[in-house]
Amino acid sequence: MNSSFGTLFTVTTFGESHGKALGAVIDGVPAGIAIQEDFIQKELDRRKPGQSSVSTARKEADRCEILSGVFEGISTGTPIAILLRNSDQHSSDYSNIADIFRPGHADYTFHKKYGIRDYRGGGRSSGRETAARVAAGAVAKLFLKEQGITIRACTCQIGKIKAAPPYNWEEVEKNIVRTADASAAEDMILAVKNAAANKDSIGGAVYGEILNVPPGLGEAVFDKLDALLAHAFMSIGGIKAVEIGDGFAVAEKNGSENNDQMDAEGFKSNHAGGILGGMSNGNTITFRLAVKPTPSIAALQKSINISGEEVDVEIHGRHDPCLVPRIVPVVEAMAAIVIADLLLRNRAARK
Amino acid sequence: MNSSFGTLFTVTTFGESHGKALGAVIDGVPAGIAIQEDFIQKELDRRKPGQSSVSTARKEADRCEILSGVFEGISTGTPIAILLRNSDQHSSDYSNIADIFRPGHADYTFHKKYGIRDYRGGGRSSGRETAARVAAGAVAKLFLKEQGITIRACTCQIGKIKAAPPYNWEEVEKNIVRTADASAAEDMILAVKNAAANKDSIGGAVYGEILNVPPGLGEAVFDKLDALLAHAFMSIGGIKAVEIGDGFAVAEKNGSENNDQMDAEGFKSNHAGGILGGMSNGNTITFRLAVKPTPSIAALQKSINISGEEVDVEIHGRHDPCLVPRIVPVVEAMAAIVIADLLLRNRAARK
Amino acid sequence: MNSSFGTLFTVTTFGESHGKALGAVIDGVPAGIAIQEDFIQKELDRRKPGQSSVSTARKEADRCEILSGVFEGISTGTPIAILLRNSDQHSSDYSNIADIFRPGHADYTFHKKYGIRDYRGGGRSSGRETAARVAAGAVAKLFLKEQGITIRACTCQIGKIKAAPPYNWEEVEKNIVRTADASAAEDMILAVKNAAANKDSIGGAVYGEILNVPPGLGEAVFDKLDALLAHAFMSIGGIKAVEIGDGFAVAEKNGSENNDQMDAEGFKSNHAGGILGGMSNGNTITFRLAVKPTPSIAALQKSINISGEEVDVEIHGRHDPCLVPRIVPVVEAMAAIVIADLLLRNRAARK
Amino acid sequence: MNSSFGTLFTVTTFGESHGKALGAVIDGVPAGIAIQEDFIQKELDRRKPGQSSVSTARKEADRCEILSGVFEGISTGTPIAILLRNSDQHSSDYSNIADIFRPGHADYTFHKKYGIRDYRGGGRSSGRETAARVAAGAVAKLFLKEQGITIRACTCQIGKIKAAPPYNWEEVEKNIVRTADASAAEDMILAVKNAAANKDSIGGAVYGEILNVPPGLGEAVFDKLDALLAHAFMSIGGIKAVEIGDGFAVAEKNGSENNDQMDAEGFKSNHAGGILGGMSNGNTITFRLAVKPTPSIAALQKSINISGEEVDVEIHGRHDPCLVPRIVPVVEAMAAIVIADLLLRNRAARK
């Protein structure tokens, strides 16, 4: 299923950037969970456009409406549908690119796949689809919170500016680039604004943690916990790389350095990022993701149109010059969905 | 499903390291494909233990037997089951670690999940399970070959030694570390042997390419081509990171550098690694994977046993000091399974 | 997935009887199909309450709103979401049964499963959920129509009154019980009205046909065409039995009577109901379904409440005294979804 | 997936009638269950050919070999693979029908679907595939037994001879037609022998019960318990109709007769067959299935060959003149798989 994710805790999203609405149907939410609509809204607000000076000027209220699955504030076990009406659409901004394949965008591939394409704002391939994921992820977080599990992510790099550990998680929502290193925030903001001033955009990276996961989550072979996280993260547009634990650094290491030895207190280190043999080991799960620079830039670029003719493209919509700050809540949402699903699946592990 | 992968072209594996047999059931293989058993065997031989001086001394014939789904050499559309009997098992090697959690292994997490564990050779968590994937991947490759699609992977790094592009793919099977840079092979081999001599192991990285993929493969939202590749690769034990195209390098780049512009000839660069919006764009698909150092090492390590008591561990089985050379065919197999599945799913994209 | 059906053409429904809205997300609709909103509405009108004197007095406009997946009247290959707002709800009708398990209803089982229950109008277990199926089925029918495939169903029995073949399909929408035998319509209507007058309800049966299905649809083992139809039909509340072709009559037959022999023109009979070995054989697919009498009746019944105490129940909401006439379009919808899905899956049968 | 069934407790079968072997991979078996190989064998023996004078003369030892997933007699949570080698094959019996479509068989539809067909003994469409289901069902039964759940089925009709309730379940394995009415057994046997003597075959029906199922099993909408049972049963070759509880009899009933009222002791009747709103209600689950007469008959029949030419067919292999006695254990196996799967899925119903 193209638009669904998860085995027992299953999220289906629908909607295009400039269609009538986006939405998510979350099936398999266990009965009995307190579903706070204001929490879902708060998560959506963290992702919504127009929230800061490094974000797009586009405004979407992204008001969520719960249509089903909740009775007197409690999940009933039936699917929770959440609707987000689209509002601030400048579809006419896109009429001039209706026949053009924007570099770095899905225009060309959607055209090749489907032979038809809702070009307004990227249609289904727009980052706007991730609003539905955030709504679904908020429901997952409400379930996980009752299990004591927490998820947090932050911007750890924008361009060449890197956040320096140890991370101060209190800082993340206090700066507009969502970094956990307050001292790096200024430079990151500057890097984004410089890119925009140059009619350009800039990439970065997200670091995240999942805390308090009980050991044993994840299936033994294909649906390993790290495999599902990688799937979930890489399905977010713009993510080009995924590391678990020490990630690429393991390539240069010896086993004696990389193995996490144990004593009576537990693991003595966490190079593995909390995952062994595809299952949580009780340690904090850690990951890092690369985010590409926004493909929509105002600078002149070469491309072709649907007739194959060469064209010059300048993209003058309203776009984030850097995807990273607003992708942070999306990453958290996908992590929450994976963990919620594996928690439920794990209940079938023993007789 | 824990032990199955794919939507239409679906692979199910079974078997433990020291059980009676491993196997794969490949369902959804289209009818009419020539299934050469000797090609499957050849792929298995590339993965089998004991193939070189940098590999484990363990010997497994890994003779494949096709049990079903092929009639007069042609796939019938029904499931192809392939059986691999286990032979060279020194299960007694493991009796001393039956109650111990080996560092870097899945022992602890399997025990926590299932409460019972086939400790012999790692049981289901053993890398031996990947033999079944290679057999299934060989069937996928036979399908893809008829479509003109080729997959190739190589060792691009062992420890600090990196292969230098441009890669010479003719070299890969000529050196025992499977690198595409003949000039680096010596040093890589030395690095592996040094690690072993030090009772240690060493990590590395795999680079791969998928050639001649038609544009449009991959689903729009959750089952993006890169998401499925990441899932597939990360489900291989020992893989800790996945990059598509320029991968983590995008974090430092501007959009104007990273976007692949087009002219009438096609894309003018391939930073995206052949994937845009989660779908193939017709360019070569490129990826890079980090492989952790083998967790089984002879050096003394600290751990605990199932009673929580601290113990010293020295692992004296027969293990590869470096997983990379033998993981190369496994990576290719998983890539082939993903592409075969998406090729079939793509037939439903248009009316 | 509890609320989803189908492998490639996948329908997910959400919503409760007295919640804010019902809806369907139809994923995997091939791109390029003309989606007429008025056709979907027409199908919904065939199912909607309050349409005739044998139907409930409840009124639901059941206006459909397409939220996504359609651009300029054509399917884009992305999920089509259809929303149906609830309107005419007398939730207070149900407050007196909030703690009572109505006989023949899902009240008891939902309570046992989830420990919480939206009792208003049956919540998720209400027949109202099938409105979403009809909307999804209408989309499936639009796809099938372009392939030349037609689905039709009718009331073939109410109580002891049976429609006599040959059926006149022109008659079905001309009488309020939707029977294809005009001469039986009067008696059927009378049977329904008598039941209602007696504070009771009455059962019946549906007969259906799928015409012009190409041979070979259906998968070889578990997802046989007849198995999927049985699954689809039996998932409609109130259906208690499914026959394909001659159905139970085969129990008394010899092979020489039951086998459909062939000549150069094709099959000489159709006892099999168009399905052999779980696959369509090119003949008309035929089926018959038993529909139980509406469980909601005004007559006094014995039951218990959630504390286990015995109570007397009289159900005074607004209910159809016979489910059959309004279930006919639901049956057609489920058949359409099955065929659409198998048509797409069948594209993967050969290389 | 064509050859897999189940969401958490998942069965995949492979193999053709005259191929090297049949098998089942059962994934998602919870860890900790005692797996008695002799029980699996006993179940297979109930299904195996050549077991009585009303069965085919073909002999298959159907010795099962457990290849994986069991360690020291206990399930480990990893997939249990069971292998059944084929032995007594008279493939040459079939060479004369290689190009002919046998009436009532899947020959025509497989040919239309795949364009290639393993004609020996029906290949994948052979009833022989159900041996793998019985092995998998035996594993499910071992799980259910530990939960106190029992499944039993019997022949309730052959031709016009019907078993009269109340059923004596002790009798079932004492007569070769597997009926629970000892007084009807003679006549049933005679009916089968008469059919065979006339170069013909005969149909019948199976009745079954599932006892001690806790309330709440089954999912609310598409994966209702009755829907999954219908799917499972109808996927068995030769089954043409499925009834739950009173089945078709509900068509003639009033709600006041059909509703199962409750008192403090529980349900006062069981017309619903133990299922309300698609979920178990704690009552015995009851069902009845129609089985078509064996299509392979020695009498002369008309058909066509793959060139479309008319041919006369007489089928002289070794076939059961009545499928019912040997289909009984297959029906039980499918019921066990459905219940095992829903038991596990139900663990996710509440937080």
Side-chain angles (χ1 to χ4, degrees), chain C residues 1-5 7 11-13 101 103-106 108-115 124 129 133 157-160 162 195 200-205 215-224 226-228 230-231 234-237 239-244 247-248 250-256 258-265 267-268 271-273 275-277 279-281 288-297 300-304 308 310 334 345-346 349-350, chain D residues 1-5 7 11-13 101 103-106 108-115 124 129 133 157-160 162 195 200-205 215-224 226-228 230-231 234-237 239-244 247-248 250-256 258-265 267-268 271-273 275-277 279-281 288-297 300-304 308 310 334 345-346 349-350:
Chain C
M1 293 176 59
N2 313 345
S3 295
S4 297
F5 189 76
T7 296
V11 174
T12 302
T13 74
F101 303 131
H105 274 280
Y108 178 76
T109 51
F110 267 60
H111 181 78
K112 287 289 184 182
K113 185 181 195 81
Y114 298 120
R124 182 72 176 149
E129 181 268 339
R133 303 188 187 204
Q157 180 177 353
I158 288 180
K160 293 189 196 317
K162 295 185 183 183
D200 213 333
S201 63
I202 193 161
L217 294 205
E219 303 302 327
V221 177
F222 292 110
D223 281 0
K224 288 182 161 80
D226 34 3
L228 289 178
H231 184 153
M234 204 71 106
S235 77
I236 304 171
I239 304 278
K240 297 299 285 182
V242 175
E243 289 185 321
I244 301 293
F248 274 103
V250 303
E252 300 203 359
K253 293 205 294 181
N254 291 118
S256 57
N258 191 57
N259 284 346
D260 298 309
Q261 300 186 36
M262 300 185 83
D263 61 18
E265 311 287 292
F267 290 96
K268 297 153 68 93
H271 300 296
I275 302 177
L276 277 175
M279 296 171 188
S280 56
N281 67 10
R288 198 166 69 97
L289 315 171
V291 183
K292 77 176 187 183
T294 319
S296 296
I297 56 175
L300 185 82
Q301 296 180 94
K302 301 284 180 192
S303 190
I304 59 171
E310 300 191 348
M334 292 310 297
R345 291 173 73 175
N346 204 43
R350 302 194 192 189
Chain D
M1 293 175 60
N2 313 344
S3 295
S4 297
F5 189 75
T7 296
V11 174
T12 302
T13 73
F101 303 131
H105 274 280
Y108 178 75
T109 52
F110 267 59
H111 181 78
K112 286 289 182 181
K113 185 181 195 79
Y114 297 119
R124 182 72 176 148
E129 180 270 338
R133 302 188 187 204
Q157 180 177 352
I158 288 180
K160 292 190 195 320
K162 297 186 182 182
D200 213 334
S201 62
I202 192 160
L217 295 206
E219 303 302 328
V221 177
F222 292 110
D223 281 359
K224 288 182 161 81
D226 34 3
L228 289 178
H231 184 153
M234 205 71 106
S235 77
I236 304 170
I239 304 279
K240 297 298 286 183
V242 175
E243 289 185 322
I244 301 293
F248 274 104
V250 302
E252 299 204 358
K253 293 205 294 181
N254 291 118
S256 57
N258 191 58
N259 284 347
D260 297 309
Q261 301 186 36
M262 300 186 83
D263 61 20
E265 311 287 293
F267 290 96
K268 297 153 68 92
H271 300 295
I275 301 177
L276 276 175
M279 296 170 188
S280 57
N281 67 10
R288 198 167 67 97
L289 314 172
V291 183
K292 77 176 188 183
T294 319
S296 296
I297 56 175
L300 185 81
Q301 297 179 93
K302 300 284 181 192
S303 191
I304 59 172
E310 301 190 348
M334 292 309 297
R345 291 173 73 175
N346 204 43
R350 303 194 192 187

Side-chain angles (χ1 to χ4, degrees), chain A residues 225 244-245 260 270-276 279-286:
Chain A
L225 171 48
I244 301 293
D260 298 310
N270 189 18
H271 299 296
I275 302 176
L276 276 175
M279 296 170 187
S280 57
N281 67 10
N283 255 359
T284 297
I285 293 166
T286 64

Side-chain angles (χ1 to χ4, degrees), chain C residues 38 119 175:
Chain C
D38 58 344
Y119 55 80
N175 62 78

Side-chain angles (χ1 to χ4, degrees), chain A residues 113 200 218 256 261 264 302 346, chain B residues 113 200 218 256 261 302 346:
Chain A
K113 185 181 194 79
D200 213 333
S256 57
Q261 301 187 36
K302 300 285 181 192
N346 204 44
Chain B
K113 186 182 194 79
D200 213 333
S256 57
Q261 300 187 39
K302 300 285 180 192
N346 204 44

Side-chain angles (χ1 to χ4, degrees), chain B residues 12-335:
Chain B
T12 302
T13 73
F14 61 85
E16 295 91 44
S17 179
H18 288 229
K20 285 195 178 173
L22 296 164
V25 182
I26 312 134
D27 199 12
V29 182
I33 297 167
I35 304 293
Q36 290 101 12
E37 194 156 342
D38 58 344
F39 174 74
I40 302 171
Q41 188 59 57
K42 222 179 85 190
E43 290 289 283
L44 286 165
D45 291 346
R46 292 176 66 211
R47 196 217 71 96
K48 79 175 174 187
Q51 63 186 262
S52 81
S53 61
V54 293
S55 168
T56 167
R58 202 161 13 100
K59 296 276 182 198
E60 285 280 358
D62 278 349
R63 297 305 308 175
C64 70
E65 182 187 14
I66 297 179
L67 298 177
S68 65
V70 180
F71 185 55
E72 299 175 346
I74 305 294
S75 65
T76 60
T78 64
I80 298 178
I82 301 177
L83 190 70
L84 304 166
R85 292 270 173 193
N86 286 324
S87 51
D88 180 29
Q89 303 156 338
H90 291 197
S91 298
S92 55
D93 280 5
Y94 293 91
S95 55
N96 63 324
I97 55 118
D99 291 341
I100 287 175
F101 303 131
R102 291 168 299 165
H105 274 279
D107 300 348
Y108 178 75
T109 52
F110 267 58
H111 180 78
K112 286 289 182 181
K113 186 182 194 79
Y114 297 119
I116 179 180
R117 173 167 74 85
D118 177 354
Y119 55 79
R120 301 164 306 164
R124 182 73 175 148
S125 74
S126 166
R128 188 141 178 68
E129 181 270 339
T130 61
R133 304 188 187 204
V134 168
V139 173
K141 282 183 174 181
L142 289 168
F143 171 39
L144 297 182
K145 196 172 64 178
E146 298 195 2
Q147 312 283 324
I149 298 173
T150 312
I151 293 166
R152 59 192 186 190
C154 69
T155 298
C156 66
Q157 180 177 355
I158 289 181
K160 293 190 194 320
I161 319 296
K162 297 186 181 181
Y167 291 152
N168 183 347
W169 292 96
E170 307 291 306
E171 293 295 328
V172 176
E173 295 299 318
K174 292 184 184 157
N175 62 77
I176 58 176
V177 283
R178 284 206 173 83
T179 183
D181 174 5
S183 67
E186 279 308 275
D187 287 349
M188 288 180 173
I189 293 167
L190 198 63
V192 177
K193 295 195 168 170
N194 278 343
N198 295 330
K199 299 184 173 185
D200 213 333
S201 63
I202 192 160
V206 170
Y207 171 79
E209 294 182 350
I210 315 174
L211 296 96
N212 211 21
V213 178
L217 294 206
E219 303 303 327
V221 176
F222 292 110
D223 281 359
K224 289 182 162 79
L225 171 49
D226 33 3
L228 289 177
L229 286 174
H231 184 154
F233 294 145
M234 205 70 105
S235 77
I236 304 170
I239 303 279
K240 297 299 285 183
V242 175
E243 290 186 322
I244 301 293
D246 284 3
F248 274 104
V250 301
E252 300 204 358
K253 292 204 294 181
N254 291 118
S256 57
E257 297 167 90
N258 191 57
N259 284 346
D260 297 309
Q261 300 187 39
M262 300 185 83
D263 61 19
E265 311 287 294
F267 290 96
K268 297 152 67 94
S269 56
N270 189 18
H271 300 295
I275 301 177
L276 276 174
M279 296 170 188
S280 57
N281 67 11
N283 255 0
T284 298
I285 294 167
T286 65
F287 53 85
R288 198 166 68 97
L289 314 173
V291 183
K292 77 176 187 183
T294 319
S296 296
I297 56 177
L300 184 83
Q301 296 180 93
K302 300 285 180 192
S303 190
I304 59 173
N305 64 21
I306 61 173
S307 310
E309 299 157 338
E310 301 190 348
V311 292
D312 286 345
V313 195
E314 290 175 21
I315 302 172
H316 295 297
R318 298 164 298 169
H319 307 97
D320 294 84
C322 180
L323 300 172
V324 188
R326 286 180 56 214
I327 226 170
V328 165
V330 181
V331 165
E332 291 176 11
M334 291 309 298

